[in-house]
């Protein structure tokens, strides 16, 4: 339905809950990435994916981008599992969305480091500052949001984006 889903329905569908993950249901760290509490939650995450996914896929490829999204979503859920509220039932793609945002910054940082021309470089703090501003606009800093999952996904995205960046192609004649 279009209305909010109760906790019990979300848990039955595969949402993450710290006590269930500790009891061995580790798969919930993955399944929760693909569940949303209501249509507004889903549309918000899909909108962010619509803007962040294509530019990253153009640089890394579609398969790498999909794997990166899932991996950073899980990474965000792991951070939330370790540091978040014990009573929370968690679901949503925003850890993965933040991961894609972080990966875009990681790719930018890697390409700046590889730039041979000093005019193509900009200080890393400019990229990281833009990242923080975009994070604030996309995710917000409101209470009731899973900031641990957001930041965990973001940091994982920066690291993985930097590591997955294709090496510059040399022009051998």
């Amino acid at each position: 339905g279009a209305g909010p889903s109760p906790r019990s329905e979300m848990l039955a569908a595969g949402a993450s809950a710290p006590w269930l993950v500790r009891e061995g249901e580790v798969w919930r760290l993955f399944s929760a990435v693909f569940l949303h509490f209501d249509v507004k939650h889903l549309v918000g995450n899909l909108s962010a994916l619509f803007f962040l996914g294509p530019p990253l896929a153009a640089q890394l490829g579609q398969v790498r981008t999909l794997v990166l999204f899932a991996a950073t979503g899980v990474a965000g859920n792991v951070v939330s599992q370790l540091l978040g509220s014990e009573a929370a039932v968690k679901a949503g793609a925003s850890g993965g969305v933040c991961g894609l945002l972080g990966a875009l910054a990681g790719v930018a940082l890697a390409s700046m480091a590889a730039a041979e021309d000093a005019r193509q470089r900009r200080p890393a703090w400019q990229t990281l500052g833009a990242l923080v501003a975009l994070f604030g606009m996309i995710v917000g800093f409101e209470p009731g949001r899973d900031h641990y999952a957001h930041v965990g996904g973001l940091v994982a995205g920066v690291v993985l984006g930097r590591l997955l960046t294709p090496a510059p192609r040399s022009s051998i004649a």
Side-chain angles (χ1 to χ4, degrees):
S5 298
R7 283 173 50 121
S8 59
E9 287 180 21
M10 291 300 289
L11 287 171
S16 182
W19 67 93
L20 294 173
V21 173
R22 264 196 319 280
E23 290 175 4
E25 296 183 21
V26 180
W27 55 270
R28 288 177 179 276
L29 297 171
F30 177 79
S31 62
V33 174
F34 301 97
L35 297 173
H36 289 80
F37 285 98
D38 56 39
V39 172
K40 180 182 173 190
H41 187 204
L42 175 64
V43 169
N45 281 329
L46 287 175
S47 299
L49 285 172
F50 178 76
F51 288 104
L52 296 173
L56 191 58
Q59 295 179 55
L60 300 180
Q62 292 177 350
V63 172
R64 280 183 166 186
T65 301
L66 287 172
V67 169
L68 190 87
F69 167 74
T72 57
V74 170
N77 286 342
V78 167
V79 171
S80 181
Q81 171 74 21
L82 296 172
L83 303 174
S85 169
E86 175 62 29
V89 173
K90 304 167 189 178
S94 53
V97 169
C98 291
L100 294 186
L101 179 61
L104 282 168
V107 168
L109 291 170
S111 65
M112 285 187 302
E116 293 178 17
D117 184 356
R119 291 174 295 176
Q120 293 177 329
R121 294 183 188 154
R122 67 178 171 268
W125 66 266
Q126 288 178 342
T127 298
L128 296 175
L131 173 68
V132 169
L134 282 170
F135 176 80
M137 289 188 307
I138 291 172
V139 176
F141 296 101
E142 299 171 15
R145 304 212 180 200
D146 193 349
H147 298 300
Y148 292 115
H150 298 157
V151 173
L154 184 77
V155 171
V158 171
V159 171
L160 291 174
R162 183 94 196 244
L163 293 174
L164 292 174
T165 303
R169 295 179 182 168
S170 61
S171 54
I172 298 175

